[in-house]
């Protein structure tokens, strides 16, 4: 996920909503159908919490009930991806003739660069910006051979992720860096070559397994 706002927008759009950033600039378009405006409400680095505001806006012709129904549906949808949601009361703006209701979606996790790691989940990034989906396991190992000491051997890597239907895949070409983030630190595997990919269905979900080799590893905290 490049950033949380973009990821929430992607989830909403995949569910069929007309959603976008709440502050894109330009002239406000006429609202003829329910739309969702998404923005960062607040972040607390000490408590490791981040709140996204999703404002549900409906035209006056749809009535307040439609706005409330859409907001409740957004709460349920975002709850499925691990958010704690609070729906605020529906309001009417006489100037623009629209109803609106805000959903405050709270994430718990860690901030890393421009990305947010929910909870204590393991997270893996290919290159400089492509984060994998819900990573369930990561393994890296070296195998001794007759020509090199163990510390000089290449690293074999296997990453397993559970895919969300909302994301588009981006397969790096050539050599890349694989960075692994976990509670308390991170590891970078350098000059990696992707050498295998397998997709299986497990418990009704698509699981993707990546295989790669790396020439070296660096660790930081």
């Amino acid at each position: 996920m490049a950033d949380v706002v973009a990821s929430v927008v992607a989830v909403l759009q995949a569910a069929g909503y007309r959603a976008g950033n709440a502050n894109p600039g330009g002239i406000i378009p006429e609202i003829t159908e329910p739309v969702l405006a998404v923005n960062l409400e607040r972040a607390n680095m000490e408590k490791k919490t981040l709140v996204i505001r999703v404002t549900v806006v409906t035209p006056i012709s749809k009535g307040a009930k439609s706005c409330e129904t859409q907001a409740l549906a957004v709460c349920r949808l975002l709850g499925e991806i691990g958010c704690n949601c609070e729906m605020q009361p529906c309001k009417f703006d006489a100037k623009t003739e629209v109803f609106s209701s805000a959903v405050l979606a709270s994430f718990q996790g860690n901030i890393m660069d421009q990305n947010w790691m929910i909870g204590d989940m393991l997270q893996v990034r290919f290159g400089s910006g492509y984060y994998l989906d819900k990573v369930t396991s990561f393994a890296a190992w070296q195998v001794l051979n007759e020509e090199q000491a163990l510390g000089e051997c290449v690293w074999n890597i296997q990453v397993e992720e559970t895919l969300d239907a909302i994301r588009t895949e981006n397969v790096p070409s050539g050599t890349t860096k694989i960075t692994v983030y976990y509670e308390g630190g991170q590891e970078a595997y350098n000059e990696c070559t992707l050498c295998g990919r397998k997709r299986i269905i497990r418990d009704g979900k698509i699981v993707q397994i990546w295989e790669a080799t790396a020439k070296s590893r660096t660790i930081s905290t």
Side-chain angles (χ1 to χ4, degrees):
M1 301 180 213
D3 64 67
V4 184
V5 171
S7 297
V8 171
V9 169
V11 170
L12 297 171
Q13 289 178 340
Y17 291 103
R18 181 182 170 190
N21 193 293
N23 304 295
I27 300 174
I28 299 176
E30 181 181 358
I31 303 300
T32 59
E33 61 179 338
V35 297
L36 310 182
V38 185
N39 66 279
L40 175 63
E41 176 76 5
R42 60 182 178 271
N44 188 316
M45 302 306 174
E46 181 179 353
K47 295 182 179 180
K48 297 182 180 179
T49 58
L50 181 146
V51 178
I52 296 294
R53 176 184 288 266
V54 180
T55 304
V56 180
V57 182
T58 59
I60 188 173
S61 61
K62 299 291 185 180
K65 184 177 181 180
S66 174
C67 183
E68 293 170 342
T69 300
Q70 296 290 342
L72 284 172
V74 169
C75 284
R76 288 192 293 268
L77 178 63
L78 296 182
E80 292 176 358
I81 64 170
C83 302
N84 291 319
C85 293
E86 174 190 342
M87 175 183 162
Q88 297 189 334
C90 182
K91 299 179 180 180
F92 177 68
D93 188 327
K95 184 177 181 180
T96 57
E97 296 189 334
V98 297
F99 290 99
S100 67
S101 179
V103 173
L104 301 180
S106 301
F107 291 83
Q108 180 77 39
N110 301 300
I111 192 72
M112 306 178 307
D113 298 329
Q114 295 181 353
N115 192 57
W116 189 265
M117 182 171 65
I118 300 175
D120 296 325
M121 287 183 358
L122 171 70
Q123 195 149 32
V124 176
R125 180 174 68 175
F126 286 172
S128 60
Y130 179 72
Y131 287 87
L132 299 186
D133 252 359
K134 299 172 184 176
V135 178
T136 55
S137 69
F138 176 89
W141 67 95
Q142 292 175 298
V143 179
L144 183 66
N145 60 51
E146 297 179 354
E147 299 178 357
Q148 293 176 300
L150 183 60
E152 300 172 344
C153 295
V154 298
W155 286 90
N156 299 283
I157 297 171
Q158 180 174 293
V159 190
E160 182 175 301
E161 63 172 332
T162 301
L163 295 179
D164 286 335
I166 62 168
R167 81 169 297 139
T168 57
E169 291 186 282
N170 179 19
V171 181
S173 59
T175 59
T176 187
K177 180 169 73 172
I178 296 178
T179 308
V180 185
Y181 302 90
Y182 52 89
E183 186 70 18
Q186 65 184 61
E187 298 182 359
Y189 292 83
N190 308 300
E191 296 183 77
C192 297
T193 301
L194 294 175
C195 54
R197 179 172 59 161
K198 179 169 63 175
R199 295 162 70 94
I200 60 177
I201 296 178
R202 181 186 300 157
D203 298 328
K205 297 181 179 179
I206 297 177
V207 176
Q208 183 160 257
I209 301 172
W210 297 88
E211 296 179 347
T213 59
K215 291 186 177 181
S216 64
R217 179 188 66 160
T218 55
I219 302 174
S220 59
T221 57

